[in-house]
């Protein structure tokens, strides 16, 4: 008799396969809203099939956000690597951010999640829980040993993480999503270099 795991594998694999297609569709549409019917057409399946795997359009959207989060696990783990000094912590994160900003996936994933979150509080919470908070906690883990070695001012670490993450995110959104690269091009390498210096100087002050 086949095991329960073996019996469930085809369903899991099919769902994963569909999710990859749905995520690529979300990115290809460059954050434009996609209906359940359009998702089904792009995936080459019927709407009932998508409902079977994801329940409804909201379920599809949340699953796609989770898919993006899963794809960033390695990057997130590297972001969380602690550093001995503030300079090393910020510079190391800047290098990782530069790596992520070199592709459209980072910007488009956030654009998709942001657009969907504006109209749906459940999706917004999923975006917060699966992408935003894990990213912030990773930066906190990187900064804490150097910024707050005694664990006495966790709020300062949190504020620093928010500032660092927000600076990177808005720069990428500005350049890639809002066509800032056309209106006012930004040298991303220079930006991250200056960001490192500015943050290091600010955080090292008592």
């Amino acid at each position: 008799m086949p095991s329960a795991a073996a019996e469930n594998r085809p369903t899991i694999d099919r769902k994963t396969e569909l999710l990859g297609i749905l995520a690529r569709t979300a990115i290809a549409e460059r954050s434009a809203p996609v209906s359940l019917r359009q998702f089904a057409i792009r995936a080459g399946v019927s709407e009932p099939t998508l409902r079977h795997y994801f329940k409804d359009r909201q379920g599809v959207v949340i699953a796609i956000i989770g898919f993006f989060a899963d794809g960033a696990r390695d990057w997130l783990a590297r972001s969380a690597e602690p550093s001995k000094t503030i300079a090393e912590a910020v510079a190391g994160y800047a290098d990782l951010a530069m790596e992520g900003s070199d592709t459209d996936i980072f910007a488009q994933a956030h654009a998709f999640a942001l657009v969907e979150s504006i109209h749906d509080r459940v999706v917004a919470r999923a975006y917060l829980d699966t992408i935003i908070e894990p990213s912030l906690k990773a930066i906190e883990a990187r900064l804490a040993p150097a910024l707050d070695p005694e664990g006495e001012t966790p709020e300062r670490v949190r504020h620093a993480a928010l500032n660092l993450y927000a600076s990177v995110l808005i720069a990428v959104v500005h350049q890639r999503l809002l066509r800032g690269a056309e209106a006012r091009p930004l040298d991303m390498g220079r930006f991250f270099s200056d960001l490192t210096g500015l943050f290091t100087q600010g955080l090292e002050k008592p």
Side-chain angles (χ1 to χ4, degrees), residues 14-30:
R14 180 55 174 157
K15 183 176 182 179
T16 301
E17 179 185 5
L18 284 173
L19 192 49
I21 298 172
L22 296 171
R24 289 192 292 274
T25 297
I27 290 177
E29 292 299 324
R30 304 190 70 82

Side-chain angles (χ1 to χ4, degrees), residues 85-155:
T85 68
I86 294 174
E88 289 178 0
V90 177
Y93 181 74
D95 288 342
L96 288 169
M98 182 66 185
E99 178 185 318
S101 71
D102 278 342
T103 70
D104 279 334
I105 295 177
F106 178 86
Q108 290 302 328
H110 278 285
F112 172 77
L114 281 167
V115 169
E116 295 292 341
S117 294
I118 290 172
H119 306 290
D120 190 325
R121 294 178 63 182
V122 175
V123 171
R125 184 54 188 263
Y127 176 39
L128 179 73
D129 290 344
T130 60
I131 293 182
I132 298 297
E133 276 300 322
S135 297
L136 288 170
K137 288 177 180 176
I139 301 174
E140 288 180 80
R142 170 177 284 272
L143 293 172
L147 187 58
D148 183 30
E150 302 301 324
E152 297 175 343
T153 56
E155 68 282 356

Side-chain angles (χ1 to χ4, degrees), residues 41 78 84 95 97 120 125 131 136 159 181 184 187 205:
I41 291 173
R78 288 186 289 153
K84 295 180 180 179
D95 288 342
D120 190 325
R125 184 54 188 263
I131 293 182
L136 288 170
H159 297 165
R184 189 166 182 179
D187 182 332
K205 293 180 181 180

